[in-house]
Amino acid sequence: MTDHVRWGILGAAKFAREHMGPAIHKARRGRLAGLATSSLSKALPFTEMAPGVLIFDSYEALLDSPEIDAVYLPLPNHLHVEWTLKALEAGKHVLVEKPLAMQAEGFDPVISARDASGLLAAEAYMIVHHPQWQKARELVQGGAIGKLVRVSGAFSYDNRADAANIRNKPETGGGAIPDIGVYIYGATRFVTGEEPQEILSTEIVRENGVDVWSHITARFPTFHYTGVVSMRMAPWQDMTFHGEGGLLRLTAPFNPQVYGEARIELHRPGGEMVEYRFPAANHYVAQVEAFNASVLDGVEYPCPLEFSRGTQAMIDMVWAKDRG
């Protein structure tokens, strides 16, 4: 490694092809250097995007290569811990898709391996790298809406027609909460800096052993939380932070540019509304650039595994409450 990070991707997943591969290719101080796939047809879009990218016929071959410094891991959820540990053992930095683990305790061996190796391992929780979320945290914690009373979140899409999708399969760690609950739960924690004290209620609908719709309420130290996530509703995204002196709303909180333009609406009493717009920011690129800077310069990574573990701990609390 010299002045840039040489990235490899384990598997030619659709998300890697459409989002993270291009982000790695575009990010400053990084280069898409390798892809592990046995399918030449799946490799083609990557080679067209990044001519010269090395194609490995197995995950192990990529991890063994001295031409790779860091690995992006978009495998199905149930494989994340296993291959993150293998990558660290091979001396590679790792950015792994969320959720890294299916229970909070699953993060612990990865945190230990990260610390023992001195390498960077992080969950690909991209939203905290977006300036809209950094601004939202600044506004809420800076008192722009006064004392916070309520946080509400919603994130939905409809994939019922895609039965083969890993999100619809229990054996691959599927479900709406593991897939998108992490966003509304983690965003609440990120903006407020608080952790849930108690899950007050759960209403969860399951199909084929995975959650497809849920409504969760929780008590945090200073506010009440309510959130809905679903894989069986029309696409919708919204996060609202409601205080005694105003209301903050993010209109495209999780998939800006795809779902819509990232905007923050700051509503104040009397009908005043201040709008913050972020039309060009790409949180995938920002995430990779933050990772590159941490690897190359040793600066603190903005979203450590400990933060991601906290979001999974909230999910674990939801499961425990639902079981009664």
Side-chain angles (χ1 to χ4, degrees):
M1 182 166 29
T2 55
D3 61 343
H4 66 280
V5 178
R6 299 170 298 177
W7 283 87
I9 301 177
L10 293 190
K14 178 182 177 182
F15 190 79
R17 181 178 73 247
E18 295 181 353
H19 296 289
M20 284 302 296
I24 291 169
H25 183 62
K26 187 176 182 179
R28 293 171 295 179
R29 308 180 73 192
R31 178 170 65 87
L32 180 55
L35 172 71
T37 179
S38 59
S39 170
L40 292 179
S41 62
K42 290 183 178 180
L44 184 59
F46 294 88
T47 58
E48 290 177 342
M49 174 181 60
V53 63
L54 300 173
I55 305 301
F56 300 87
D57 62 6
S58 71
Y59 301 158
E60 291 87 353
L62 186 147
L63 294 182
D64 288 341
S65 173
E67 301 299 317
I68 302 298
D69 305 309
V71 171
Y72 168 64
L73 203 160
L75 301 175
N77 295 345
H78 69 299
L79 298 175
H80 288 177
V81 170
E82 174 189 353
W83 283 96
T84 298
L85 290 173
K86 287 181 178 180
L88 289 171
E89 291 168 4
K92 311 301 184 187
H93 304 280
V94 188
L95 181 65
V96 56
E97 265 309 320
K98 51 78 195 159
L100 185 153
M102 304 311 297
Q103 294 85 32
E105 64 185 17
F107 279 78
D108 297 338
V110 178
I111 290 173
S112 295
R114 176 203 65 186
D115 293 345
S117 67
L119 297 164
L120 176 59
E123 188 182 66
Y125 194 64
M126 73 292 183
I127 67 170
V128 301
H129 302 278
H130 197 289
Q132 70 169 331
W133 282 107
Q134 295 161 6
K135 185 65 175 179
R137 180 172 62 174
E138 173 192 324
L139 289 168
V140 170
Q141 296 193 15
I145 60 173
K147 181 182 182 296
L148 183 62
V149 178
R150 176 184 67 93
V151 175
S152 65
F155 193 178
S156 63
Y157 59 86
D158 191 340
N159 72 351
R160 77 186 74 203
D162 187 6
N165 192 297
I166 60 172
R167 296 164 185 82
N168 285 320
K169 295 182 175 182
E171 65 270 21
T172 54
I177 291 175
D179 186 44
I180 54 179
V182 294
Y183 290 123
I184 61 173
Y185 299 176
T188 300
R189 297 175 54 247
F190 178 75
V191 168
T192 66
E194 295 188 18
E195 300 294 341
Q197 293 179 318
E198 181 184 2
I199 304 300
L200 300 173
S201 67
T202 63
E203 186 177 358
I204 299 177
V205 176
R206 290 180 171 84
E207 294 177 8
N208 189 36
V210 300
D211 63 288
V212 298
W213 182 93
S214 66
H215 176 224
I216 308 299
T217 64
R219 179 185 295 114
F220 282 71
T222 66
F223 64 89
H224 183 273
Y225 164 88
T226 180
V228 172
V229 297
S230 177
M231 303 191 300
R232 297 295 185 267
M233 294 168 64
W236 180 254
Q237 300 180 17
D238 183 84
M239 284 294 296
T240 299
F241 299 82
H242 199 165
E244 292 180 348
L247 180 145
L248 197 73
R249 176 173 178 254
L250 288 82
T251 62
F254 308 121
N255 296 118
Q257 297 184 2
V258 176
Y259 181 76
E261 182 183 89
R263 292 183 289 112
I264 296 175
E265 298 175 353
L266 174 57
H267 297 264
R268 292 194 173 108
E272 177 190 6
M273 196 268 279
V274 178
E275 186 176 65
Y276 302 87
R277 299 178 62 187
F278 308 88
N282 183 310
H283 51 198
Y284 301 116
V285 173
Q287 175 179 243
V288 176
E289 290 182 343
F291 196 99
N292 292 343
S294 185
V295 168
L296 295 170
D297 304 330
V299 300
E300 184 177 358
Y301 189 66
C303 190
L305 288 177
E306 288 79 359
F307 174 85
S308 298
R309 189 188 191 284
T311 299
Q312 184 60 49
M314 182 173 174
I315 294 174
D316 292 351
M317 291 172 66
V318 169
W319 299 140
K321 176 69 174 181
D322 190 58
R323 289 193 298 267

